[in-house]
């Protein structure tokens, strides 16, 4: 019987330099999640493959870094900007093998930089920053985790204001919940209560009942905590 490996090589062609390359992807049956943190960060079973490590593709020839969430469209003159800012300074580097968390962090930061040059949607950049924060959480780098959560808040806020999440799998309720939870985790409690309240206000017209329940739980926890602080 054939022994199936957890990782396989996905064949890709770089949209910038047209080089053919491969990048590791994880077969879904090998990703085993025990639970999720309240901001949806996966907590993997011991010995499970960390699926977060392989979300970003990096062209080894020119450094163009992207995920499956990137659009195929390049607004003018973004291709030229990427070639000038990244390709012309790139030292060939191969991220196509098994990755460690430090290597994956490099790929997310590269992808976020590319996304800003490419003028990707705020919702895409927010997702990159959030996953970067999760990886820092996994190695207990608290200050860096906080920094990237704050960067994610900024991008999610822009996405919500500009409604550039429309047409993606992310709903307004999910964005508002994440804005509340990330604000809570970065000690911006008034902002957190504001966003959780906005989620709760949508309970009669939203089908995302789990998110509403989670927002209610966080909201009541924070209100209770505020009461106790006042008593003390």
């Amino acid at each position: 019987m054939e022994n199936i490996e957890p990782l396989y090589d996905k064949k890709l062609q770089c949209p910038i330099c047209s080089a053919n390359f491969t990048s590791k992807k994880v077969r879904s049956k090998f990703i085993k999640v025990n639970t999720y943190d309240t901001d949806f960060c996966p907590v993997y079973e011991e010995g499970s493959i960390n699926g977060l490590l392989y979300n970003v593709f990096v062209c080894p020839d020119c450094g163009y870094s992207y995920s499956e969430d990137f659009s195929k469209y390049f607004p003018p003159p973004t291709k030229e900007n990427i070639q000038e800012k990244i390709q012309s300074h790139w030292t060939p580097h191969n991220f196509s093998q098994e990755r460690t968390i430090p290597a994956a962090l490099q790929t997310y930061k590269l992808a976020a930089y590319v996304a800003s040059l490419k003028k990707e949607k705020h919702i895409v950049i927010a997702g990159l920053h959030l996953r970067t924060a999760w990886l820092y959480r996994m190695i207990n780098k608290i200050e860096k985790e906080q920094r990237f959560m704050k960067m994610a808040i900024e991008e999610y806020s822009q996405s919500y204001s500009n409604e550039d999440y429309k047409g993606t799998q992310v709903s307004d309720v999910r964005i508002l919940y994440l804005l509340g939870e990330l604000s809570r985790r970065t000690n911006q409690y008034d902002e957190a209560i504001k966003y959780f309240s906005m989620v709760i206000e949508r309970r009669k017209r939203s089908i995302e009942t789990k998110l509403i329940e989670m927002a209610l739980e966080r909201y009541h926890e924070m209100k209770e905590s505020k009461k106790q602080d006042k008593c003390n």
Side-chain angles (χ1 to χ4, degrees):
M1 193 172 174
E2 189 184 356
N3 187 27
I4 298 172
E5 293 293 324
L7 299 175
Y8 68 94
D9 289 323
K10 184 179 176 74
K11 293 180 180 177
L12 299 155
Q13 184 175 56
C14 177
I16 294 290
C17 72
S18 300
N20 294 310
F21 67 101
T22 62
S23 191
K24 296 288 184 194
K25 290 292 285 179
V26 188
R27 290 188 170 89
S28 56
K29 71 176 183 178
F30 289 96
I31 299 175
K32 293 180 177 144
V33 178
N34 261 338
T35 186
Y36 291 90
D37 289 342
T38 48
D39 62 351
F40 312 121
C41 175
V43 179
Y44 295 101
E45 281 184 18
E46 194 173 339
S48 170
I49 300 284
N50 185 339
L52 290 173
L53 303 184
Y54 301 98
N55 281 342
V56 175
F57 312 127
V58 181
C59 173
D61 284 18
C62 76
Y64 180 71
S65 307
Y66 61 108
S67 73
E68 289 171 345
D69 295 324
F70 278 43
S71 73
K72 291 184 169 55
Y73 174 65
F74 287 81
T78 56
K79 238 180 192 181
E80 292 75 15
N81 285 344
I82 291 165
Q83 286 166 333
E84 180 193 337
K85 300 274 176 58
I86 294 175
Q87 187 174 7
S88 63
H89 302 286
W90 180 251
T91 303
H93 191 91
N94 193 347
F95 286 99
S96 299
Q97 302 307 312
E98 286 190 40
R99 290 179 187 168
T100 60
I101 287 180
L105 284 164
Q106 288 182 62
T107 70
Y108 277 100
K109 289 173 188 177
L110 280 167
Y113 181 45
V114 168
S116 67
L117 293 175
K118 188 175 178 289
K119 304 193 187 313
E120 275 293 341
K121 290 180 173 183
H122 293 288
I123 193 68
V124 172
I125 301 173
L128 293 168
H129 290 330
L130 181 58
R131 285 161 180 76
T132 304
W134 290 348
L135 289 176
Y136 276 123
R137 185 179 306 167
M138 290 172 182
I139 54 174
N140 296 313
K141 299 281 187 185
I142 308 302
E143 282 184 23
K144 289 185 176 177
E145 177 196 345
Q146 290 275 313
R147 178 177 165 234
F148 279 92
M149 283 194 292
K150 286 174 183 172
M151 289 165 70
I153 288 170
E154 178 58 33
E155 293 296 330
Y156 279 123
S157 177
Q158 290 288 334
S159 178
Y160 181 72
S161 299
N162 299 332
E163 297 189 333
D164 76 0
Y165 60 89
K166 290 194 170 176
T168 74
Q169 293 181 324
V170 185
S171 66
D172 60 338
V173 171
R174 192 178 182 89
I175 288 180
L176 289 169
Y177 173 81
L178 274 169
L179 281 166
E181 179 56 14
L182 296 176
S183 296
R184 185 185 74 83
R185 284 174 172 267
T186 52
N187 304 318
Q188 300 173 76
Y189 298 118
D190 289 340
E191 287 292 290
I193 285 172
K194 177 186 84 174
Y195 287 122
F196 287 140
S197 297
M198 290 169 75
V199 174
I200 295 161
E201 282 166 13
R202 286 161 169 73
R203 63 181 151 187
K204 287 185 180 172
R205 60 181 190 272
S206 174
I207 58 168
E208 295 181 89
T209 52
K210 181 63 180 169
L211 281 176
I212 308 287
E213 285 169 18
M214 289 170 74
L216 277 163
E217 283 172 20
R218 301 289 87 71
Y219 180 84
H220 289 310
E221 282 167 9
M222 293 181 73
K223 284 289 189 183
E224 193 58 37
S225 178
K226 255 192 165 181
K227 263 192 216 168
Q228 286 174 3
D229 287 347
K230 278 181 185 173
C231 293
N232 295 334

